[in-house]
Amino acid sequence: MIVDEVFQQGGHGNYELARVQHADGYVLRVRVHRDSYAKQSTAVAEVLTPLLTWTIIASSPGGDWHRKTPATSSDTTPLIPVADEVLQRARRILPVPAPFTTPGQ
């Protein structure tokens, strides 16, 4: 279940998606930053720990997906497949059920 999703635009070629969601007893966050240069673009999935810190558990360098995204976008559409792929990898890494209770649940 997606709790929050934010889209931001920067200069030409720069835009990003941040999404927080609950899944399998975890609070997960994915951040996809598309820069005008592939080597400066990144996608990471993080899990909220019991100490209320974010820990990266999966990532995808821009070289894997940068060419598949347009230089500009007015919404999250081009970044959704990237975010979904990184989140799917993160969910395969995490044990189910969660070994702890996430905050707010």
Side-chain angles (χ1 to χ4, degrees), residues 52-66:
L52 301 180
T53 59
W54 293 103
T55 299
I56 296 173
I57 53 173
S59 64
S60 180
D64 291 350
W65 50 267
H66 187 269

Side-chain angles (χ1 to χ4, degrees), residues 43-77:
V44 296
E46 303 164 300
V47 63
L48 186 62
T49 70
L51 298 176
L52 301 180
T53 59
W54 293 103
T55 299
I56 296 173
I57 53 173
S59 64
S60 180
D64 291 350
W65 50 267
H66 187 269
R67 278 179 266 145
K68 298 174 190 171
T69 58
T72 60
S73 180
S74 60
D75 63 22
T76 62
T77 303

Side-chain angles (χ1 to χ4, degrees), residues 2-57:
I2 296 174
V3 177
D4 193 20
E5 186 171 89
V6 176
F7 175 75
Q8 294 181 336
Q9 290 181 305
H12 180 74
N14 296 302
Y15 53 97
E16 62 186 57
L17 163 68
R19 180 192 298 167
V20 175
Q21 67 184 62
H22 293 271
D24 302 324
Y26 295 97
V27 178
L28 300 172
R29 176 171 72 180
V30 64
R31 294 179 293 138
V32 182
H33 173 75
R34 199 259 189 219
D35 192 86
S36 55
Y37 298 101
K39 65 183 179 182
Q40 294 176 193
S41 299
T42 188
V44 296
E46 303 164 300
V47 63
L48 186 62
T49 70
L51 298 176
L52 301 180
T53 59
W54 293 103
T55 299
I56 296 173
I57 53 173

